[in-house]
Amino acid sequence: MNFYATMQRQLQNTDVMQRLQTLYGTREGMLVEQHTRYTRLLKRHEDLISAENGPIYMISAPGRTEIAGNHTDHNRGKVLAAAVNLDTLAAVSPRSDSIVNIHSEGYPALSISIAPDQLEPRKEEEGTTAALVRGVAHGMHKEGLAIGGFDAVVTSDVRSGSGLSSSAAFEVLICAIFDELYAGNKLDAKKRAIISQYAENVYFGKPSGLMDQMASSVGGMCFIDFQDADPQVTAIPYDFAKMGYQLVVVNTGGSHDDLTPAYAAIPQEMKAVAQCFGQPDLRSVLPERFMRKLPMIREELKGQNADRAILRAAHYFAENNRVTHLVQTLQQNDLPEFLRLIIESGRSSFEYLQNIFATADRQELALALMLSQQRLEGQGAWRVHGGGFAGTTLNFVPNAMLDLFVKEMEAVFGQHSCNVLAIRPEGPAAIRLG
């Protein structure tokens, strides 16, 4: 029996199968789907890399869903988020040099050196996969952690533009690969998230907060308070399915192309309001003082979208308070109040944060929110999901309505536009073969 045949047999072990159920859930057919997916990826590793001996590592990192805390993390706010059972998965083998080769489905093959003298940011790589790999490598190197080359084939069901943070899943995956192969699994979840964000901010050139990376890195559902430099993370165990609800993310098909300025304007305008009080961010401003000083803010920000900045700051203060209350409703198992607050959160994003559409001719999200309200009002909840402007909505759908909801949404937005999610109980995970 050859090397890869042995690896495929190991994927059928009882321990491996139980591991897959933990990561992906127990929905009927899920285990077969994931075993087939892992086996196919291992075959791609054989075809493209053809390692002669082991080990081969199957390493995955989950996407994330933002349940509440829309655009608060970048101003040291509060977030309720969860890792989900859609992930970015790699079959990886170590190399003896500093070359990283990645064959990712749907993308050109990548080969870069991560030698110590090759780790500085490169302007020409901004916005590319190479930037993320180099940025993660540099972040780990700065922490004194060992890194090295590897060959990987990668597949992902966290689609770009899905609102489930494909970039964070990939960054956390690269951290996990270096950690598993070379650093001795020394990275804790917070440090892994911080290194991932560093790669996205400094190397990739996207001014994201830390929520996406933290949710993917920590796993499960968690309440994250970014007030301090060391974010406080609290696990919030809750099973929506057992309470009769499914989490459904609807991909409206809107493109994120050319929307970076729209995303960047939100933290910039919030911080501009904070600077009117001599503070670096809104978390350092008292909400009641903000309301008293509206005339002063309008005057100081005249000509700088002052009124929109004020509305966005008002969303921030209300959303922070709302996240605290949402956590309490889950801890008290008050699901009706939880659903009410989710709808309230979505309305605040629409009316005050104003991240539903960037231009008059791109209103897919608004359409999806209207359809969700028509179907779910009085029975479930709906809101914008993630950064907004294009992309996805998050819906809490009663089990009895699930099939009809998916059918109606996919009739408008296309087949496979709905993802029915389960919360993944952990962040990145590795299965060693060989």
Side-chain angles (χ1 to χ4, degrees):
M1 184 178 295
N2 68 30
F3 170 65
Y4 281 95
T6 301
M7 299 301 101
Q8 289 180 16
R9 285 179 63 87
Q10 288 185 20
L11 284 177
Q12 299 174 14
N13 288 349
T14 300
D15 290 346
V16 172
M17 301 298 265
Q18 290 176 344
R19 192 85 177 95
L20 295 183
Q21 284 191 319
T22 298
L23 295 176
Y24 300 103
T26 57
R27 175 179 60 80
E28 185 178 357
M30 179 71 78
L31 188 58
V32 172
E33 290 172 12
Q34 291 301 329
H35 182 266
T36 300
R37 182 171 174 245
Y38 274 61
T39 301
R40 285 175 177 169
L41 193 65
L42 190 60
K43 181 64 168 65
R44 285 192 71 226
H45 191 285
E46 180 180 16
D47 293 341
L48 295 171
I49 296 168
S50 189
E52 294 183 359
N53 47 52
I56 292 177
Y57 298 83
M58 309 297 290
I59 302 178
S60 81
R64 68 94 187 96
T65 179
E66 174 203 275
I67 295 173
N70 198 211
H71 279 283
T72 57
D73 58 330
H74 45 59
N75 268 256
R76 297 197 300 125
K78 302 175 184 178
V79 172
L80 181 62
V84 299
N85 61 336
L86 299 179
D87 67 351
T88 300
L89 173 67
V92 188
S93 51
R95 293 176 60 93
S96 59
D97 56 20
S98 298
I99 301 299
V100 169
N101 295 314
I102 297 178
H103 303 268
S104 189
E105 288 180 341
Y107 296 89
L110 169 69
S111 182
I112 68 170
S113 170
I114 55 159
D117 62 348
Q118 300 290 317
L119 294 180
E120 293 302 314
R122 300 185 180 188
K123 187 69 176 176
E124 68 273 15
E125 286 184 349
E126 284 188 3
T128 70
T129 301
L132 295 177
V133 175
R134 201 180 304 278
V136 167
H138 191 211
M140 295 191 67
H141 182 70
K142 287 197 307 177
E143 293 293 325
L145 296 167
I147 57 174
F150 60 82
D151 295 315
V153 293
V154 179
T155 187
S156 183
D157 50 19
V158 188
R159 304 300 182 192
S160 178
S162 68
L164 300 171
S165 198
S166 57
S167 58
F170 182 79
E171 294 150 12
V172 170
L173 173 73
I174 298 301
C175 274
I177 290 172
F178 284 131
D179 198 22
E180 180 73 30
L181 269 59
Y182 297 107
N185 289 305
K186 293 178 181 176
L187 271 180
D188 63 37
K190 288 182 184 179
K191 182 62 68 176
R192 184 166 53 228
I194 289 169
I195 290 173
S196 297
Q197 183 203 27
Y198 168 75
E200 184 159 319
N201 290 175
V202 177
Y203 282 69
F204 191 83
K206 182 179 178 181
S208 71
L210 188 57
M211 186 270 288
D212 292 351
Q213 293 85 358
M214 190 68 80
S216 176
S217 185
V218 171
M221 181 162 59
C222 56
F223 166 53
I224 312 171
D225 190 339
F226 292 101
Q227 182 169 18
D228 301 320
D230 181 20
Q232 299 304 299
V233 181
T234 305
I236 308 294
Y238 196 86
D239 192 331
F240 290 104
K242 285 185 178 179
M243 298 304 298
Y245 285 84
Q246 299 292 331
L247 277 67
V248 183
V249 168
V250 178
N251 188 344
T252 66
S255 171
H256 290 81
D257 293 346
D258 303 320
L259 289 177
T260 296
Y263 294 124
I266 294 177
Q268 289 168 359
E269 290 177 11
M270 287 182 178
K271 290 177 180 179
V273 172
Q275 288 162 10
C276 293
F277 297 88
Q279 299 295 337
D281 51 65
L282 286 177
R283 190 61 179 268
S284 305
V285 178
L286 293 174
E288 53 270 26
R289 192 168 177 226
F290 159 75
M291 292 302 297
R292 289 198 306 267
K293 296 292 185 178
L294 293 186
M296 177 270 288
I297 299 170
R298 293 190 80 203
E299 182 63 28
E300 287 200 22
L301 298 184
K302 188 180 296 183
Q304 303 179 50
N305 286 316
D307 291 342
R308 187 175 71 178
I310 288 170
L311 288 167
R312 285 174 164 172
H315 163 82
Y316 171 89
F317 291 122
E319 188 78 345
N320 252 10
N321 189 50
R322 199 157 28 237
V323 169
T324 299
H325 288 163
L326 280 161
V327 170
Q328 292 170 351
T329 65
L330 292 177
Q331 292 171 335
Q332 297 164 5
N333 197 25
D334 187 353
L335 195 55
E337 179 64 5
F338 172 87
L339 296 174
R340 187 191 71 79
L341 290 170
I342 289 293
I343 296 169
E344 187 179 273
S345 170
R347 286 176 177 161
S348 180
S349 292
F350 206 147
E351 296 173 9
Y352 300 145
L353 185 62
Q354 300 180 37
N355 69 330
I356 304 304
F357 52 87
T359 61
D361 62 343
R362 299 176 67 175
Q363 299 198 24
E364 304 94 340
L365 278 179
L367 174 60
L369 291 168
M370 182 274 289
L371 293 172
S372 293
Q373 181 176 356
Q374 293 290 318
R375 175 54 59 191
L376 298 176
E377 192 160 28
Q379 301 182 77
W382 59 94
R383 64 180 290 268
V384 64
H385 184 250
F389 296 115
T392 59
T393 64
L394 174 65
N395 305 271
F396 291 81
V397 182
N399 288 343
M401 297 178 62
L402 179 63
D403 291 344
L404 178 60
F405 181 84
V406 169
K407 179 181 178 181
E408 291 182 344
M409 284 295 179
E410 293 194 343
V412 176
F413 297 108
Q415 191 176 14
H416 307 306
S417 57
C418 292
N419 279 313
V420 182
L421 304 176
I423 294 175
R424 171 164 155 160
E426 59 188 89
I431 296 173
R432 186 182 188 274
L433 303 176

